[in-house]
Amino acid sequence: MRLTELIKSAFSSLWSRKIRSFLTSLGVIIGVFSVAALLSVAESSVREMNESLSILNSEAIEVWINDPDIELTMDDIKELGEDEFISAVAPYIVGNAEINKGLIDLNTSIIYTTSEYDEAKDLTVHNGRFILPIDQLEETNTVVLGINIALKLFANIDVLGETISINNVDFTIIGVLKETPSGLFEDTNEELIIPKSTAERYFGVEGINNIAIEAANKESSQETVEFLNRYLYLKFEDEESYNIYSNDQVQSYIDETSKTLMFMLGGIGGISLLVSGVGIMNIMLVSVRERTREIGIRKAIGARRKDILIQFLVEAIVLSIFGGLTGIGLTYLIAQPVGNIMGGLDLSLSTTTVMISTLFSLGVGVVFGLYPAVKASKLIPVKALRYD
Amino acid sequence: MSKLIKLNNIHKHYSMSNFIVRALDGVDLTIDEGEFTSIIGPSGSGKSTIMNIIGCLDIVSKGDYYLCGENVARLSDRRLADIRNKRLGFVFQNYNLLNNISALENVMLAGKYAKMKSKECKLLAKEALRKVGLEGRMFHKPSELSGGQQQRVAFARALFGNPLLLLADEPTGNLDSKTSKEILKMLVNLNKQGTTIILVTHDMDIANVATRKIEMLDGKVINDIRREKENEIN
């Protein structure tokens, strides 16, 4: 029989059992909806992570010391700063600060660092200036505010010369930073920056456990990481005691995480699709049993094994593709409004998601429809005709 | 007349739980082209089994079956399907029509399996239905037809591709006497037009319509009578 005839026949047969066909497809609809919706969530999260990473400084490198018993010194910073691959290096310590201005109290992160920090972290001052070497030298009570801190304390950013209290010590505001994209580990907009020497004097801060570095250029970023690795290993002889992060590494970490996320979420949806496939197989087996006599009649008239096999396979595929397309349509209608409710997540369906979902549903139809179809095709005509 | 069917020492055994049923036990038979043969015997005599073997609906346990000189006992499933499609036509006691499609579509099925073009297939199917007097009921589903009409559709389907051999298994079994006579007249006329017919029945009156009567018992041919005179339907 011609393929078009077989497809027509499959539709006619499924149409004659409308409710059953729809209920069988419902499993696929739910399965494809799960796959498509979860992949959309995964894609959307990955897209957002990549977008925030793409606007970060790609030359930026961070060194974090994990072991509380070891620390870097200013001599190390000086030595690193002389390397040809490094254009700026700044030590910094992250602390916590109680801020007070009039009636407002804030608890926020504070960075104790040197005048190279703005270059190493690619920060730009919006108002005023950044910390200068003289501030470091004279241990001045000066502070640079992240833009959000300025807004929280003063409701505007023209605050140069104002005084705020940090851990009960008065500091004069010398600058406000421009808004910067929030990084994966920090948000400069929500931080204060004061000279490291001042922090040592007032707050007893000592040692260096973080360094911000800017590589000379993007190409030398990897070489700089390797150089830092050698340097730190020679110093501490324990590669577990420190971590080096570059944006390249973070990118590859995100790529790895994205893959895992996609596989995990796609897999969860895939399981429901597989369950729906078992449903299709079950219904098709029932159908083969119920239509055994019909198969016998068709064979007596001249249907070949291949004709019967294709007929039942096409029925299974039609069920799964119908379910697949309906599931995708449903995701299309539901995903974006749900994304909006979830804080403006862009859950629009990508071509890849549509392709994966459609192919998966087609695959389910073929894989789970094959066994019943083969079973139907192998029936011996005389036995099939005798079946009641 | 040339030999259409030749059965050589045909055996058909079925294995039950702890014994073997010998449905056919060494049957030798030759049927010529154009013959109208009835196979008669009590229930379990092997008459339906031999029809299934001749109709390529079942395979032999032992022996050779020649159809038009070709040993079909050794053919592939695909080739057997071709033979059923192009050389044989079946009429069953319970009509065996597909209930979810119309009379016309039922008749067209054989053409579709022969990969005939849809237009040509429809024309031939309409013609076949006209020949059996059902031109006004073509688009009715089997459930909307009487038993006699359904059997006529089955005849139209069986004769669709001008088969060499028409196999009829108790074709009047579910019909009233008037409709049975009409069906038997149809068989006689078809035979007069040259179609070879094998009629399986347990009813002696119906078997007597044929020009040759083969009696079976316990899987063996016990009697094979040829008659010269015209068939009579009372």
Side-chain angles (χ1 to χ4, degrees):
Chain A
M1 200 184 262
R2 288 164 200 273
L3 190 62
T4 47
E5 291 289 345
L6 283 167
I7 293 171
K8 246 193 254 176
S9 167
F11 269 103
S12 154
S13 169
L14 292 173
W15 188 248
S16 66
R17 300 169 179 88
K18 285 184 276 293
I19 304 273
R20 184 199 282 189
S21 302
F22 175 72
L23 290 176
T24 311
S25 280
L26 192 60
V28 185
I29 294 172
I30 294 167
V32 168
F33 176 75
S34 313
V35 170
L38 290 173
L39 282 180
S40 281
V41 170
E43 275 184 349
S44 166
S45 311
V46 170
R47 199 162 44 234
E48 288 213 343
M49 275 198 280
N50 281 330
E51 272 167 15
S52 33
L53 194 70
S54 67
I55 46 178
L56 293 179
N57 178 15
S58 59
E59 290 94 18
I61 297 167
E62 296 264 336
V63 173
W64 293 1
I65 305 297
N66 304 324
D67 188 341
D69 298 333
I70 58 170
E71 57 190 33
L72 290 159
T73 63
M74 284 310 285
D75 289 340
D76 293 317
I77 304 301
K78 199 179 164 197
E79 207 175 322
L80 289 171
E82 285 165 2
D83 188 82
E84 59 174 321
F85 293 127
I86 295 174
S87 67
V89 54
Y92 72 96
I93 298 152
V94 182
N96 203 41
E98 300 273 348
I99 307 161
N100 171 262
K101 174 66 190 173
L103 295 172
I104 303 171
D105 288 316
L106 277 181
N107 196 326
T108 189
S109 287
I110 184 163
I111 306 288
Y112 313 125
T113 186
T114 62
S115 55
E116 291 83 12
Y117 188 74
D118 59 338
E119 198 186 338
K121 291 286 246 183
D122 201 27
L123 302 175
T124 312
V125 175
H126 186 275
N127 271 356
R129 65 173 176 82
F130 197 72
I131 297 166
L132 294 174
I134 188 103
D135 296 314
Q136 170 72 10
L137 196 68
E138 295 187 356
E139 300 169 6
T140 58
N141 288 23
T142 49
V143 61
V144 177
L145 304 185
I147 193 162
N148 289 351
I149 298 293
L151 290 170
K152 280 177 190 170
L153 293 174
F154 299 97
N156 73 74
I157 53 171
D158 296 323
V159 293
L160 298 183
E162 294 278 353
T163 305
I164 58 168
S165 162
I166 303 173
N167 295 341
N168 299 318
V169 179
D170 285 346
F171 280 76
T172 305
I173 300 167
I174 55 164
V176 176
L177 294 172
K178 253 189 180 174
E179 187 172 4
T180 51
S182 58
L184 293 164
F185 309 110
E186 66 199 342
D187 184 359
T188 312
N189 303 315
E190 299 282 351
E191 289 172 345
L192 305 169
I193 301 168
I194 66 167
K196 180 173 167 292
S197 57
T198 311
E200 284 165 358
R201 181 178 146 203
Y202 287 113
F203 310 136
V205 172
E206 52 185 28
I208 299 166
N209 52 17
N210 299 81
I211 319 173
I213 294 161
E214 186 184 50
N217 52 56
K218 196 181 173 186
E219 290 69 37
S220 62
S221 174
Q222 188 53 39
E223 280 138 333
T224 310
V225 169
E226 282 165 18
F227 161 72
L228 285 168
N229 213 2
R230 281 197 303 275
Y231 183 92
L232 294 169
Y233 188 73
L234 272 174
K235 186 172 173 69
F236 301 125
E237 293 179 340
D238 178 11
E239 55 188 17
E240 299 289 317
S241 62
Y242 59 87
N243 279 323
I244 305 170
Y245 299 102
S246 71
N247 276 347
D248 283 350
Q249 280 177 311
V250 175
Q251 180 66 61
S252 58
Y253 172 73
I254 286 180
D255 289 346
E256 279 298 311
T257 314
S258 315
K259 273 185 205 161
T260 314
L261 192 68
M262 297 283 266
F263 272 113
M264 206 174 73
L265 293 182
I268 292 168
I271 288 169
S272 55
L273 203 48
L274 285 179
V275 173
S276 71
V278 175
I280 287 186
M281 189 194 260
N282 189 30
I283 289 298
M284 290 312 293
L285 283 172
V286 170
S287 183
V288 169
R289 183 168 273 254
E290 281 178 353
R291 291 157 68 192
T292 300
R293 198 176 183 86
E294 176 192 324
I295 295 164
I297 295 169
R298 287 179 182 273
K299 285 201 160 192
I301 295 167
R304 298 171 183 179
R305 265 188 194 175
K306 196 175 78 179
D307 294 319
I308 303 292
L309 187 138
I310 292 174
Q311 184 189 344
F312 279 85
L313 196 56
V314 165
E315 282 185 27
I317 290 172
V318 166
L319 282 176
S320 63
I321 290 281
F322 169 76
L325 294 178
T326 312
I328 288 168
L330 206 61
T331 318
Y332 183 78
L333 290 175
I334 291 175
Q336 201 48 60
V338 169
N340 290 338
I341 293 166
M342 286 167 66
L345 261 182
D346 177 16
L347 292 183
S348 56
L349 277 175
S350 71
T351 318
T352 319
T353 303
V354 172
M355 293 276 280
I356 289 175
S357 308
T358 312
L359 287 176
F360 216 106
S361 61
L362 174 71
V364 162
V366 173
V367 170
F368 291 94
L370 196 61
Y371 173 68
V374 168
K375 201 173 171 189
S377 74
K378 283 188 172 171
L379 287 172
I380 296 166
V382 69
K383 283 188 182 166
L385 281 168
R386 275 192 205 134
Y387 190 85
D388 279 322
Chain B
M1 275 190 282
S2 62
K3 285 185 178 56
L4 184 66
I5 289 166
K6 190 167 190 291
L7 303 178
N8 278 351
N9 193 28
I10 293 290
H11 291 256
K12 181 67 189 177
H13 302 159
Y14 297 106
S15 293
M16 305 305 271
S17 51
N18 50 4
F19 59 96
I20 292 173
V21 176
R22 297 177 191 280
L24 293 178
D25 197 9
V27 174
D28 293 299
L29 189 66
T30 305
I31 293 174
D32 292 333
E33 218 172 291
E35 269 193 312
F36 186 174
T37 309
S38 62
I39 300 176
I40 189 163
S43 182
S45 61
K47 58 186 188 302
S48 286
T49 306
I50 203 160
M51 195 205 83
N52 291 332
I53 297 281
I54 292 171
C56 300
L57 295 172
D58 205 356
I59 48 169
V60 298
S61 304
K62 194 178 144 191
D64 292 310
Y65 164 30
Y66 295 90
L67 179 70
C68 301
E70 189 174 20
N71 193 348
V72 296
R74 305 189 198 291
L75 292 180
S76 67
D77 189 76
R78 183 191 165 131
R79 187 80 186 93
L80 289 175
D82 275 348
I83 288 173
R84 287 195 293 267
N85 184 245
K86 296 190 175 81
R87 297 189 186 175
L88 307 174
F90 297 92
V91 177
F92 301 95
Q93 179 176 358
N94 50 7
Y95 329 125
N96 277 341
L97 299 174
L98 300 188
N99 289 320
N100 58 337
I101 55 176
S102 68
L104 182 66
E105 287 167 310
N106 264 287
V107 179
M108 282 170 71
L109 263 185
K112 285 181 178 174
Y113 284 121
K115 293 192 175 169
M116 202 178 267
K117 281 184 183 166
S118 188
K119 212 173 175 181
E120 186 191 355
C121 184
K122 196 178 256 180
L123 273 176
L124 288 174
K126 281 182 177 175
E127 184 55 34
L129 282 166
R130 226 185 316 273
K131 276 184 187 168
V132 295
L134 281 179
E135 58 268 44
R137 315 287 281 176
M138 285 181 191
F139 301 102
H140 289 248
K141 288 188 175 174
S143 56
E144 297 158 355
L145 301 172
S146 69
Q149 287 170 330
Q150 287 187 56
Q151 195 60 298
R152 283 167 190 272
V153 176
F155 266 95
R157 184 182 64 188
L159 298 169
F160 177 84
N162 289 324
L164 292 172
L165 175 65
L166 178 70
L167 292 144
D169 188 3
E170 305 274 12
T172 58
N174 284 353
L175 304 175
D176 58 57
S177 59
K178 184 174 170 252
T179 317
S180 294
K181 278 176 192 166
E182 284 170 17
I183 293 294
L184 290 175
K185 274 179 190 164
M186 194 187 290
L187 281 173
V188 172
N189 287 336
L190 282 169
N191 178 244
K192 281 181 180 167
Q193 286 160 25
T195 309
T196 312
I197 296 171
I198 295 177
L199 170 69
V200 172
T201 182
H202 66 279
D203 186 326
M204 191 58 82
D205 290 339
I206 291 169
N208 284 336
V209 171
T211 50
R212 182 178 174 192
K213 190 167 68 181
I214 294 169
E215 281 183 57
M216 292 195 68
L217 189 68
D218 297 335
K220 288 183 172 137
V221 174
I222 55 164
N223 225 337
D224 187 350
I225 307 158
R226 280 191 168 85
R227 294 186 305 150
E228 290 298 323
K229 68 171 187 174
E230 288 272 309
N231 306 303
E232 282 174 18
I233 300 165
N234 300 315

